[in-house]
Amino acid sequence: MTTTYFSDLIVEFLHQQDIDTVVFNPGASFRGVHDSLVHAENAGIAPDIVMACHEEIAVAIAHGYHKASGRHMGVFVHANVGLLHASMAVFNAWCDRVPLFVLGGNGPVDAGKRRPWIDWIHTSQNIESVVKDYVKWCDQPIGQRATVESLTRAFKLMNTPMHAPVFVALDFDTQEEPLQEGVRLLPAGATEPTRLPPLDQETLGYLSERLLASRMPVLVVDFSGRDPRTVAPLVALAEALGLAVVDRGNRLNFPNTHPLNVSHTGTEVLADADLVIALEVQDLVGALGAFLPLTDQGMPANGAEVVTIGFNELLTSKWAADYQQFVPVDRSIAADTGASIAALRSLAEDPAGPFATEAFTERRTERTEALAAVHTRARAQWSLQSQELKNREHIHVAGALDEIHRAVRDEEWVLTNTGSLTIDGWVKKLWPLERPGSYLGLNGGGGLGYGLGASVGAALAHREDDTLCIDLQADGDFLYTPSALWTLAAQDAPLLVVVMNNRLYLNSTQHAERIAGHRDRDIDRAHIATSFYDHPVDFVSMARSYGVHALPRVEKIGDVAPTIREAVAHLKTHRKPVLVEILMD
């Protein structure tokens, strides 16, 4: 393909930035780029095209793809209506701190070039205003040179900490113009992200003093595992210092089977915490409150010192309060996560350093043994609970999850989605989350419709390897974007979808029960308009109608593991998606 039109140059930009896949639901407002994508194959620069049936699904696919691989998909959305459809998924990515490259068509800004009716209702002034409050940067450039600069700036900014989505509107008319003389791409390196420094010597000295003086130092982690390379050094750092670790779990930050990991234990062992180091923690009040009583200002009531390391405060929305409650911490440090972990680890392991004393070694050993005892006891209790819950008449989520893991434990699996806080909580208690990247976290913004699309994206990222991608899919979330099944089947994405079907919007049912109880009303009516009891959904038939292989619905706990094994065998043999529906209590 000869670069004849400006839209051809946009495709060259995608190739220059190593974007090998694009995803979209087609729309006329980016028909110029669409044509260039389709015909770029002859030039060997064409990215793979993934078609979705809805813009929310398209964005979620790119979201999951990046979390699974660290690579970017390009996302195209149609004019204002497509961007409005996509906006929920963009918000999820914003809260999840995932960099997405979202490009939107727009009708001709020059009104004299608009077709009657459709170009008028699908052309917007300041179209980026739809998402401007929950993207890192957005623009509506007019003209070819301005668009090249805008694309370059957007790509650079989304990958510069704090990571987040960006949006650039592509004028309909500009796309379809012949390429103007002298218009060309900037050098590929122009998009290289700005880097944050590691901890400086003064800060290292300060932290060293505080750690040496601390009786019970706690390391809280949340998003650091978005770079899987930080997991092993973080484990080494925690071991060298004998740190209690509380993992908030927006990524796999620290192995949950490690004896220093005391997340979810609800134990009093951390009641004496006197130093908390929060590494890339988004909800600091929620994190601290998980193991310490707090003042009304969100500070530990016992006077524990709090230090934050990361760059969460470098990205603050003026529209959404995802920045959480303000906490007057003792020190807030903006620094590169990986480099900071490396610097602290080097100091902690230095045989001639401040921690190489007999007194510190003795205190660390005593602390490590106490934490390990708490960790071991908690995991044994959780395992026992799951076994007891298997005796119920109807399948309980804990029993099901334990049986699912029993069926896949010998596989190299990745949990692409865990569906809901209920499922996620039991996963973290029962499954061994140890390998970096084997757990991709929740959806970020709490918006339903994420799970299936994101899991398709993650499965596409693992299409060329033998990883078993597993979507533990809540039924309510599924029903927001069921047409993601079409893309799943059309792409032959090797994904095991396990629908955990309780026929409820469980969280809404619980709220209905709570408010009825407070008002002394009948809580047995809480299922009204929060359940699917009267008109249940047949997920097996739905999957089959889209061409996805689905096994008969599971209704007994003893059938869970055998059915999952059968599904895995089919997936491994045919490298095609499989769906299993489990009817839950």
Side-chain angles (χ1 to χ4, degrees), residues 81-133:
V81 291
L83 186 58
L84 288 164
H85 278 307
S87 61
M88 180 62 249
V90 173
F91 180 71
N92 276 339
W94 163 270
C95 293
D96 206 20
R97 302 305 188 243
V98 170
L100 297 183
F101 195 54
V102 184
L103 306 178
N106 195 16
V109 175
D110 184 345
K113 297 181 179 180
R114 294 177 193 164
R115 295 171 295 164
W117 185 62
I118 192 66
D119 277 353
W120 288 85
I121 62 172
H122 285 181
T123 300
S124 301
Q125 303 293 338
N126 302 315
I127 189 173
E128 73 278 8
S129 63
V130 172
V131 293
K132 69 180 178 63
D133 289 311

Side-chain angles (χ1 to χ4, degrees), residues 240-259:
L241 296 175
L243 301 175
V245 179
V246 174
D247 190 344
R248 296 291 289 170
N250 271 303
R251 297 293 187 275
L252 197 159
N253 306 294
F254 196 94
N256 67 345
T257 56
H258 193 284

Side-chain angles (χ1 to χ4, degrees), residues 381-414:
Q381 290 173 345
W382 296 332
S383 178
L384 180 61
Q385 287 174 9
S386 72
Q387 298 308 310
E388 291 174 346
L389 289 167
K390 292 179 186 179
N391 296 323
R392 289 192 175 188
E393 179 182 357
H394 301 293
I395 299 174
H396 186 276
V397 62
L401 288 171
D402 189 65
E403 289 294 295
I404 294 167
H405 176 255
R406 193 159 65 87
V408 303
R409 61 189 173 192
D410 294 330
E411 307 290 337
E412 186 165 317
W413 46 261
V414 168

Side-chain angles (χ1 to χ4, degrees), residues 538-553:
D538 184 346
F539 290 93
V540 170
S541 295
M542 184 191 299
R544 290 172 177 170
S545 74
Y546 281 98
V548 174
H549 182 70
L551 301 178
R553 184 172 64 204

Side-chain angles (χ1 to χ4, degrees), residues 226-557:
R226 68 180 123 208
D227 181 354
R229 295 171 299 180
T230 63
V231 176
L234 196 62
V235 170
L237 172 64
E239 291 174 346
L241 296 175
L243 301 175
V245 179
V246 174
D247 190 344
R248 296 291 289 170
N250 271 303
R251 297 293 187 275
L252 197 159
N253 306 294
F254 196 94
N256 67 345
T257 56
H258 193 284
L260 290 175
N261 191 328
V262 289
S263 310
H264 316 294
T265 58
T267 174
E268 294 182 357
V269 71
L270 300 183
D272 294 328
D274 52 357
L275 173 65
V276 179
I277 298 176
L279 182 66
E280 287 202 49
V281 174
Q282 192 175 58
D283 178 11
L284 188 56
V285 168
L288 294 172
F291 60 92
L292 286 174
L294 303 181
T295 69
D296 58 2
Q297 293 182 323
M299 289 296 291
N302 69 351
E305 189 170 357
V306 179
V307 178
T308 62
I309 302 174
F311 30 82
N312 194 52
E313 291 177 333
L314 301 184
L315 188 72
T316 304
S317 172
K318 297 180 287 296
W319 179 76
D322 59 295
Y323 44 76
Q324 307 291 324
Q325 180 179 336
F326 183 84
V327 181
V329 301
D330 294 274
R331 184 171 288 204
S332 181
I333 303 161
D336 179 79
T337 304
S340 297
I341 293 171
L344 278 169
R345 178 187 178 185
S346 179
L347 183 66
E349 294 179 341
D350 185 353
F355 299 98
T357 66
E358 185 175 340
F360 178 81
T361 301
E362 182 178 339
R363 190 162 74 250
R364 178 191 64 196
T365 301
E366 180 181 343
R367 193 162 59 223
T368 298
E369 290 174 351
L371 293 168
V374 168
H375 168 91
T376 301
R377 185 165 57 249
R379 292 197 69 82
Q381 290 173 345
W382 296 332
S383 178
L384 180 61
Q385 287 174 9
S386 72
Q387 298 308 310
E388 291 174 346
L389 289 167
K390 292 179 186 179
N391 296 323
R392 289 192 175 188
E393 179 182 357
H394 301 293
I395 299 174
H396 186 276
V397 62
L401 288 171
D402 189 65
E403 289 294 295
I404 294 167
H405 176 255
R406 193 159 65 87
V408 303
R409 61 189 173 192
D410 294 330
E411 307 290 337
E412 186 165 317
W413 46 261
V414 168
L415 289 179
T416 61
N417 168 57
T418 50
S420 72
L421 293 175
T422 301
I423 298 172
D424 191 65
W426 277 109
V427 163
K428 288 171 180 172
K429 291 179 179 180
L430 299 176
W431 285 50
L433 305 180
E434 300 168 322
R435 286 179 290 103
S438 62
Y439 164 84
L440 301 186
L442 294 170
N443 62 23
L448 297 184
Y450 162 89
L452 190 54
S455 296
V456 172
L460 291 175
H462 284 289
R463 176 183 260 165
E464 302 304 321
D465 59 44
D466 294 327
T467 303
L468 174 62
C469 292
I470 305 173
D471 172 18
L472 299 176
Q473 179 64 55
D475 56 327
D477 179 84
F478 189 114
L479 291 173
Y480 270 66
T481 51
S483 63
L485 288 170
W486 183 89
T487 303
L488 180 64
Q491 291 291 321
D492 283 336
L495 176 68
L496 172 59
V497 182
V498 183
V499 182
M500 316 287 274
N501 182 11
N502 61 7
R503 297 179 177 177
L504 284 171
Y505 286 122
L506 177 60
N507 184 256
S508 295
T509 307
Q510 291 169 334
H511 279 290
E513 290 173 342
R514 191 172 298 119
I515 196 69
H518 285 323
R519 295 177 176 182
D520 197 25
R521 293 175 177 174
D522 183 6
I523 64 171
D524 290 336
R525 297 174 64 81
H527 71 279
I528 297 174
T530 65
S531 74
F532 301 93
Y533 293 156
D534 295 333
H535 297 282
V537 178
D538 184 346
F539 290 93
V540 170
S541 295
M542 184 191 299
R544 290 172 177 170
S545 74
Y546 281 98
V548 174
H549 182 70
L551 301 178
R553 184 172 64 204
V554 177
E555 299 186 8
K556 296 180 180 179
I557 190 67

